[in-house]
Amino acid sequence: MRFGYFDDKAREYVITTPKTPYPWINYLGSENFFALVSHRAGGYCFYRDARLRRLMRYRYNNVPTDVGGRYFYINDGGEVWNPSFAPTNTALDAFECRHGLGYTRITGERKGVRASLLMLVPQGHTAEIHQLTLKNNSEQAKDLKVFSLIEWCLWNAYDDMTNYQRNFSTGEVEVEKNGATLYHKTEYRERRDHYAFYNVNAAVAGYDTDRESFLGLYNEWGEPQVPAAGKSSNSVASGWQPIASHGLDVKLAPGEEKTFVFTLGYVEVPREQKWEKPGIINKKPAHELIAKFSKPEQVDAAMKALADHWSKLLANYSIESSDEKLNRTVNIWNPYQCMVTFNMSRSASYFETGIGRGMGFRDSNQDLLGFVHLVPERARERIIDIASTQFPDGSAYHQYQPLTKRGNNDVGSGFNDDPLWLIFGVAAYIRETGDYGILDEQVPFDNDPKTAVPLFEHLKRSFHHVLNNLGPHGLPLIGRADWNDCLNLNCFSETPDESFQTTGNRTGRTAESVFIAGMFVGVAPDYAYLAEKKGFADEAKKARAEAAKMTDVVLKDGWDGEWFLRAYDFFGKKIGTKENPEAQIFIEPQGFCVMAGIGVEGGQAKKALDSVKERLDTKYGIVLNNPPYTKYHVEIGEITSYPPGYKENAGIFCHNNPWIIIAETVIGRGDRAFEYWKKIAPAYLEEQSEIHRLEPYVYAQMIAGKDAVRHGEAKNSWLTGTAAWNFVAISHYLLGVRPDFDGLRVHPCMGGEVGKFTVTRKCRGAEYRIHVKNSGKGGAPKLVVDGKPVAGDLVPYAKAGSTVIVECEV
Ligand code: BGC
Ligand code: NOJ
């Protein structure tokens, strides 16, 4: 069942009912000011850090779900309704929510009144704009009482929801222009040099800044007393819960339309200029910001700038084909989600509260794979930030904080796959840009400037961190965990509330990871190539030799006969073997070992992927392991804490399905790869939205696996490495256009379902138009570049500014 449709021309998903199976959200903002907005106008905004600088209050896990947002109450002859349906839930005659790239437009209609609410964060500004257009489509004149409403968060979102003994007394506001501008100046008198405001570009009939006065102490958001009475109470908050609400009297003749622009802004004021006079805040920066968006034409211009911004970004990789679902995924929604993961990392979504995690070392390097072709300059900066948190021995803080850019001591280090992801990220960046200069950039360890060395040295320490930490079989030690945060082989936790990731009471050097081994073999050629470029021929030779050695180890002690083993535990026992009753096979090493080329010649790769098909594939995607764990194993960790079929315990982790997809292309089985890809690509799931439940325009981290009670149901949409990896799978391997160090590789491998397609790729300043005739047979492509046949699959990089025409038959 569908709850909307794609409007590809407008680059929007159009939701046609407020009653979707879960709140379907969008993100606004691309630099410093961000917002989450659901199809019912729920959500919140923040400046840079969702924990420390939150403007709007949002109650996670509330009843009902998704309460708190930008609400407009319309009193039409005594009946109160919202264009967003929520929170009054008054029936609407028409409803539509259009989520677009960086904006959302919600339209509701009741008894001849149409209210359309456009929300966006203008490029380069720290404000959410709400443009409300009211139109009278009826035959009668309308005398509407309209009330805006937002609830302020007292800045620090954690304190805001825990420390009531203090914060019920700290809220402060100011009222200006009879209530047209309402200021939230909580804590401004002391250490904060910032405030927020909510303005409307019209004369108001009244205002409210105190929640209790607006709602009534025992009223729900859907039964507020001020809108019901049709009259603001002009309340001035003092402590408790400050809000901002404008009251507008709107008279509309039949056919008449009126537009109002509301600016919800954030400003910072230099400390010596904070006050206009004692107790009165300096409003100049607010006035300046308001002046920029107080006219609808200014909002139109901001919308135009936003559209141009996205057109430019998305032009870097696009496809034309007969499959519209493929087109919309590649051209619009997958890169859009990649940019959101770049901006948010794993901080704020409808599953991540914005007060928890920092930026992951591993996560951020992987996200880079999905956005480096969109914003390469920002990828460069991100790489330096990440590498600056590394330790001198090559190990890495698992997370760092975006505001301070420092490693997070609470989570610490010891995830032994982390260092290798840096090589991954840097190689992807250099392939995209050709900027080898980044390797000479001076980068510190643990943010201590005295320790700075060239970035290449960081890669070297990453590589050698693996070699310096090998276990009894010569496989890499796993440490706290590898990619699978929940495979905790040195943790042995018996105490509730301990973190599986940071509790480690075993320091043994026995638990080994076949996944890290595959990763090591996979990145070694890139590392060796970069070493050679820097003139370290011996190091390159060593890297290649070590990779060959590791390949042998994997084929000997990491092979179970029909698939790759997952690991050895603390006691040296195998994990992921048919000898065990549960979790006999895991997805991760099958993907990573085959991507690295291990066993391709000897046939093990094909066997492993056939085992994946046989044991892990389901109609909704590939599960992580099988059979699932049914009991808690102290020596295996968090994975065994999840009920069968959920999360890392045999859930469909959409993040590592693309590894199998890519691996299938490595052995030339494009048809199977494309079939797997379509199983989890959101656009193809639209028709089963009642089962999948989450947004049909973005990936979720996890879909419940075949052993789960709710097989097919997704969780954790938006902020997941799934976005980047699926973009790599479809664009680099299935459609087969990927930047390499010395040219653009063109090697489609996707079976014959899509016969003909054109990829347009911008890279290093040139544009490549690649026309593919795809027979589906696979194998080596035949390329003609600007009229001349070229041997192999590499199109040499052209001069910036040029356009290259490539004909490809495969
Ligand atoms: C959590 C896991 C989760 C993982 C990735 C860990 O900190 O404990 O439940 O799957 O992070 O989100
Ligand atoms: C999500 C984490 O952000 C990521 O780093 C990890 O690899 C996966 N979960 C699997 O545990």
Side-chain angles (χ1 to χ4, degrees), residues 345-346 357-368 398-399 418 421 483 485 655 721:
S345 192
R346 305 293 174 268
R357 299 202 266 168
M359 315 263 298
F361 192 95
R362 172 201 302 140
D363 294 333
S364 298
N365 277 302
Q366 286 179 92
D367 290 348
L368 201 130
H398 196 47
Q399 295 178 356
D418 272 337
W421 290 111
W483 173 88
D485 281 323
H655 184 143

Short mmCIF file of all heavy atoms in Angstrom, two decimals, residues 345-346 357-368 398-399 418 421 483 485 655 721:
data_model
loop_
_atom_site.label_atom_id
_atom_site.label_comp_id
_atom_site.label_asym_id
_atom_site.label_seq_id
_atom_site.Cartn_x
_atom_site.Cartn_y
_atom_site.Cartn_z
N SER A 345 25.76 13.16 10.72
CA SER A 345 26.39 11.93 11.18
C SER A 345 25.30 11.04 11.78
O SER A 345 24.31 10.74 11.12
CB SER A 345 27.51 12.22 12.16
OG SER A 345 28.25 11.04 12.36
N ARG A 346 25.41 10.65 13.05
CA ARG A 346 24.35 9.81 13.64
C ARG A 346 23.67 10.57 14.77
O ARG A 346 23.18 9.98 15.71
CB ARG A 346 24.95 8.50 14.19
CG ARG A 346 25.74 7.71 13.19
CD ARG A 346 24.90 7.13 12.06
NE ARG A 346 25.74 6.50 11.06
CZ ARG A 346 26.19 7.13 9.97
NH1 ARG A 346 25.90 8.40 9.73
NH2 ARG A 346 26.96 6.48 9.10
N ARG A 357 25.15 10.37 20.55
CA ARG A 357 26.45 10.07 19.98
C ARG A 357 27.14 11.26 19.31
O ARG A 357 26.50 12.14 18.77
CB ARG A 357 26.27 8.98 18.94
CG ARG A 357 25.72 7.73 19.58
CD ARG A 357 26.03 6.56 18.73
NE ARG A 357 24.96 6.23 17.81
CZ ARG A 357 25.13 5.36 16.81
NH1 ARG A 357 26.30 4.83 16.58
NH2 ARG A 357 24.13 5.08 16.04
N GLY A 358 28.45 11.20 19.28
CA GLY A 358 29.23 12.17 18.52
C GLY A 358 29.38 11.68 17.09
O GLY A 358 28.54 10.93 16.59
N MET A 359 30.47 12.06 16.45
CA MET A 359 30.73 11.61 15.09
C MET A 359 31.58 10.34 15.18
O MET A 359 32.60 10.33 15.89
CB MET A 359 31.54 12.64 14.32
CG MET A 359 31.09 14.06 14.47
SD MET A 359 30.03 14.61 13.16
CE MET A 359 31.08 14.47 11.76
N GLY A 360 31.21 9.31 14.46
CA GLY A 360 31.99 8.08 14.50
C GLY A 360 33.19 8.17 13.58
O GLY A 360 33.10 8.73 12.48
N PHE A 361 34.32 7.65 14.02
CA PHE A 361 35.52 7.59 13.18
C PHE A 361 35.22 6.73 11.95
O PHE A 361 35.44 7.12 10.82
CB PHE A 361 36.65 6.97 14.01
CG PHE A 361 38.01 7.09 13.39
CD1 PHE A 361 38.86 8.13 13.75
CD2 PHE A 361 38.47 6.16 12.47
CE1 PHE A 361 40.13 8.24 13.19
CE2 PHE A 361 39.74 6.26 11.90
CZ PHE A 361 40.57 7.30 12.27
N ARG A 362 34.67 5.55 12.22
CA ARG A 362 34.30 4.63 11.14
C ARG A 362 33.16 5.21 10.31
O ARG A 362 33.21 5.27 9.08
CB ARG A 362 33.89 3.31 11.76
CG ARG A 362 33.29 2.33 10.81
CD ARG A 362 32.44 1.28 11.55
NE ARG A 362 33.17 0.54 12.55
CZ ARG A 362 32.65 0.20 13.75
NH1 ARG A 362 31.44 0.55 14.08
NH2 ARG A 362 33.37 -0.47 14.61
N ASP A 363 32.12 5.68 11.00
CA ASP A 363 30.93 6.17 10.30
C ASP A 363 31.27 7.32 9.36
O ASP A 363 30.82 7.38 8.22
CB ASP A 363 29.87 6.64 11.30
CG ASP A 363 29.32 5.48 12.12
OD1 ASP A 363 29.34 4.35 11.62
OD2 ASP A 363 28.88 5.73 13.25
N SER A 364 32.07 8.25 9.86
CA SER A 364 32.34 9.45 9.07
C SER A 364 33.17 9.12 7.83
O SER A 364 32.96 9.69 6.77
CB SER A 364 33.04 10.51 9.91
OG SER A 364 32.18 10.89 10.96
N ASN A 365 34.10 8.19 7.98
CA ASN A 365 34.87 7.78 6.80
C ASN A 365 34.00 7.10 5.76
O ASN A 365 34.17 7.27 4.56
CB ASN A 365 36.02 6.85 7.21
CG ASN A 365 37.22 7.63 7.68
OD1 ASN A 365 37.76 8.45 6.95
ND2 ASN A 365 37.63 7.41 8.92
N GLN A 366 33.03 6.33 6.25
CA GLN A 366 32.15 5.65 5.28
C GLN A 366 31.19 6.64 4.63
O GLN A 366 30.92 6.55 3.44
CB GLN A 366 31.36 4.56 5.97
CG GLN A 366 32.20 3.35 6.28
CD GLN A 366 31.40 2.29 6.99
OE1 GLN A 366 30.84 1.41 6.36
NE2 GLN A 366 31.36 2.39 8.30
N ASP A 367 30.66 7.56 5.43
CA ASP A 367 29.74 8.55 4.86
C ASP A 367 30.39 9.28 3.69
O ASP A 367 29.76 9.63 2.70
CB ASP A 367 29.32 9.58 5.92
CG ASP A 367 28.41 8.97 6.98
OD1 ASP A 367 27.92 7.85 6.77
OD2 ASP A 367 28.19 9.63 8.01
N LEU A 368 31.69 9.51 3.86
CA LEU A 368 32.45 10.21 2.84
C LEU A 368 32.32 9.56 1.45
O LEU A 368 32.29 10.24 0.44
CB LEU A 368 33.91 10.18 3.29
CG LEU A 368 34.84 11.20 2.72
CD1 LEU A 368 35.57 11.87 3.85
CD2 LEU A 368 35.84 10.59 1.79
N HIS A 398 36.87 6.08 18.95
CA HIS A 398 35.74 5.58 18.16
C HIS A 398 34.83 6.72 17.72
O HIS A 398 34.18 6.67 16.70
CB HIS A 398 34.97 4.55 18.98
CG HIS A 398 34.05 3.71 18.15
ND1 HIS A 398 34.44 3.12 16.97
CD2 HIS A 398 32.75 3.36 18.33
CE1 HIS A 398 33.42 2.44 16.47
NE2 HIS A 398 32.38 2.58 17.26
N GLN A 399 34.80 7.76 18.54
CA GLN A 399 33.95 8.92 18.21
C GLN A 399 34.66 10.23 18.56
O GLN A 399 35.53 10.24 19.41
CB GLN A 399 32.66 8.89 19.04
CG GLN A 399 31.77 7.72 18.72
CD GLN A 399 30.54 7.71 19.59
OE1 GLN A 399 30.36 8.53 20.48
NE2 GLN A 399 29.66 6.76 19.31
N ASP A 418 38.62 0.48 12.96
CA ASP A 418 38.59 1.93 12.77
C ASP A 418 39.76 2.48 11.95
O ASP A 418 39.53 3.20 10.97
CB ASP A 418 38.53 2.65 14.13
CG ASP A 418 37.08 2.84 14.62
OD1 ASP A 418 36.17 2.82 13.78
OD2 ASP A 418 36.88 3.01 15.83
N TRP A 421 39.54 2.38 8.12
CA TRP A 421 38.55 3.21 7.43
C TRP A 421 39.14 4.54 6.97
O TRP A 421 38.69 5.15 6.01
CB TRP A 421 37.32 3.47 8.31
CG TRP A 421 36.48 2.23 8.51
CD1 TRP A 421 36.32 1.54 9.66
CD2 TRP A 421 35.68 1.55 7.51
NE1 TRP A 421 35.47 0.46 9.46
CE2 TRP A 421 35.07 0.45 8.16
CE3 TRP A 421 35.43 1.77 6.16
CZ2 TRP A 421 34.22 -0.44 7.48
CZ3 TRP A 421 34.58 0.89 5.49
CH2 TRP A 421 34.00 -0.20 6.14
N TRP A 483 33.46 -3.74 12.55
CA TRP A 483 32.29 -3.04 12.01
C TRP A 483 31.03 -3.35 12.81
O TRP A 483 30.18 -2.49 13.03
CB TRP A 483 32.07 -3.41 10.53
CG TRP A 483 30.80 -2.82 10.03
CD1 TRP A 483 30.63 -1.58 9.49
CD2 TRP A 483 29.49 -3.41 10.12
NE1 TRP A 483 29.29 -1.36 9.23
CE2 TRP A 483 28.58 -2.46 9.60
CE3 TRP A 483 29.00 -4.64 10.57
CZ2 TRP A 483 27.21 -2.71 9.52
CZ3 TRP A 483 27.63 -4.88 10.50
CH2 TRP A 483 26.76 -3.92 9.97
N ASP A 485 29.42 -3.46 15.83
CA ASP A 485 29.60 -2.94 17.18
C ASP A 485 29.11 -3.90 18.25
O ASP A 485 29.38 -3.70 19.43
CB ASP A 485 28.78 -1.65 17.34
CG ASP A 485 29.45 -0.45 16.73
OD1 ASP A 485 30.68 -0.37 16.83
OD2 ASP A 485 28.75 0.40 16.16
N HIS A 655 22.99 -1.71 5.57
CA HIS A 655 24.36 -1.21 5.43
C HIS A 655 25.29 -2.23 4.76
O HIS A 655 26.17 -1.87 3.99
CB HIS A 655 24.86 -0.89 6.84
CG HIS A 655 26.20 -0.26 6.92
ND1 HIS A 655 26.51 0.70 7.84
CD2 HIS A 655 27.34 -0.45 6.22
CE1 HIS A 655 27.76 1.07 7.71
NE2 HIS A 655 28.29 0.38 6.73
N GLY A 721 25.10 4.38 7.55
CA GLY A 721 26.08 4.17 6.49
C GLY A 721 25.47 3.48 5.28
O GLY A 721 26.10 3.39 4.22
#
